[in-house]
Amino acid sequence: MIFVTVGTQLPFDRLIKTMDDIAPDLGRPVIAQTGVGTYLCRNIQTAVNYGPIEFDGYVKKCDVLVAHAGMGTVLKAYKYRKPVILVPRKAALGEHRNDHQLATVSQLRSRIGIYVAETEEELRSLLVRDLAPAIPTDDMLERRVRLIDFVRKLIIMTEPVS
């Protein structure tokens, strides 16, 4: 199963329409969280939004995750070790205020398990491949530990004194 998410804040009809158009050729179900978009799908199961438990359930079950270039989705892909195909929103198409998602994918595209599709052809090509999952590297785990330690110390420093 392919799970598609565009986040909940902005429409991303270009991605949803593309997935709806290619879904019949994929040979597996496609489920999408469409957010506040207006495109009505014919070929995929959709909901505007899934609750956190249902959302996580779809991510756990999917073979591949397709998403806008939002960091929350990237972190979910790492958490559940799923390959993720990122389709960045483009400001020139009115999909976002600026092109920060293009900057995001430029930094992430070399990581194992993270794939970038900027065109329908790239997306189609990736969806028929056997993709490696997103797996945290040792350096990512070390940085996570340092961040947690930093936040813990910050919280302790800012606790009110009785």
Side-chain angles (χ1 to χ4, degrees):
M1 178 262 287
I2 298 167
F3 184 52
V4 182
T5 179
V6 300
T8 58
Q9 297 178 5
L10 296 170
F12 196 7
D13 285 347
R14 176 172 58 96
L15 174 55
I16 297 301
K17 181 182 182 321
T18 299
M19 286 303 302
D20 192 45
D21 289 345
I22 65 178
D25 302 329
L26 297 174
R28 54 188 162 162
V30 178
I31 298 171
Q33 175 179 286
T34 61
V36 294
T38 59
Y39 177 79
L40 299 175
C41 295
R42 303 173 319 279
N43 302 304
I44 62 179
Q45 174 187 326
T46 65
V48 171
N49 192 22
Y50 293 107
I53 294 170
E54 193 173 13
F55 184 93
D56 277 17
Y58 283 128
V59 176
K60 286 179 193 176
K61 290 180 205 169
C62 75
D63 303 312
V64 64
L65 185 57
V66 177
H68 68 125
M71 287 310 300
T73 306
V74 172
L75 294 174
K76 288 281 185 196
Y78 276 119
K79 179 177 181 177
Y80 296 115
R81 297 177 184 250
K82 298 296 179 173
V84 60
I85 301 171
L86 300 177
V87 180
R89 297 174 192 268
K90 296 180 180 177
L93 300 176
E95 297 167 342
H96 219 305
R97 297 175 297 282
N98 58 42
D99 282 325
H100 73 276
Q101 290 196 355
L102 291 171
T104 299
V105 297
S106 74
Q107 295 299 309
L108 296 176
R109 72 177 347 131
S110 63
R111 295 182 181 263
I112 295 170
I114 298 179
Y115 305 87
V116 177
E118 294 190 44
T119 66
E120 179 178 337
E121 294 76 27
E122 289 173 341
L123 184 56
R124 279 181 182 272
S125 174
L126 286 167
L127 286 169
V128 297
R129 289 179 39 202
D130 186 22
L131 303 175
I135 299 174
T137 59
D138 289 342
D139 68 310
M140 291 168 65
L141 297 173
E142 290 170 16
R143 284 183 287 188
R144 178 178 176 252
V145 167
R146 286 197 313 265
L147 177 62
I148 291 169
D149 286 344
F150 174 79
V151 171
R152 186 175 286 124
K153 288 175 185 171
L154 187 63
I155 291 169
I156 291 170
M157 289 174 41
T158 59
E159 284 184 5
V161 178
S162 317

